[in-house]
Amino acid sequence: MDILHRFALIIHWFSFIVGIIAFSALFITAFTEAQQPILIILFAPVILFACNGLGWLFRFVISGKIHFLPWKK
């Protein structure tokens, strides 16, 4: 695996982890201090898939055909 493909994999993993953290933070906020928790709960998966999707898109452009989840080959 050359350096460019490794860099793309790192970006994919990083965006996946950022999405998980954002999803978790929104979920915790929805149950602790939000005035409209339903909107936040519905918005949290959108953030998760958007972050992972951007990382996947970057890796797809650099590496070619790959799986949406970073740990799949």
Side-chain angles (χ1 to χ4, degrees):
M1 188 184 301
D2 65 337
I3 263 188
L4 196 57
H5 291 259
R6 284 185 189 192
F7 181 67
L9 181 61
I10 289 170
I11 296 296
H12 193 178
W13 268 105
F14 179 74
S15 65
F16 179 73
I17 291 170
V18 167
I20 293 291
I21 291 170
F23 177 82
S24 301
L26 283 173
F27 232 76
I28 290 170
T29 302
F31 286 114
T32 57
E33 56 192 52
Q35 293 178 1
Q36 296 180 341
I38 297 298
L39 291 176
I40 295 175
I41 290 171
L42 293 175
F43 187 63
V46 173
I47 292 296
L48 174 66
F49 287 115
C51 287
N52 195 24
L54 287 174
W56 172 82
L57 182 64
F58 182 81
R59 187 173 171 205
F60 180 79
V61 168
I62 299 295
S63 300
K65 186 177 180 182
I66 50 126
H67 199 272
F68 185 70
L69 300 174
W71 59 85
K72 296 274 186 158
K73 293 260 179 183

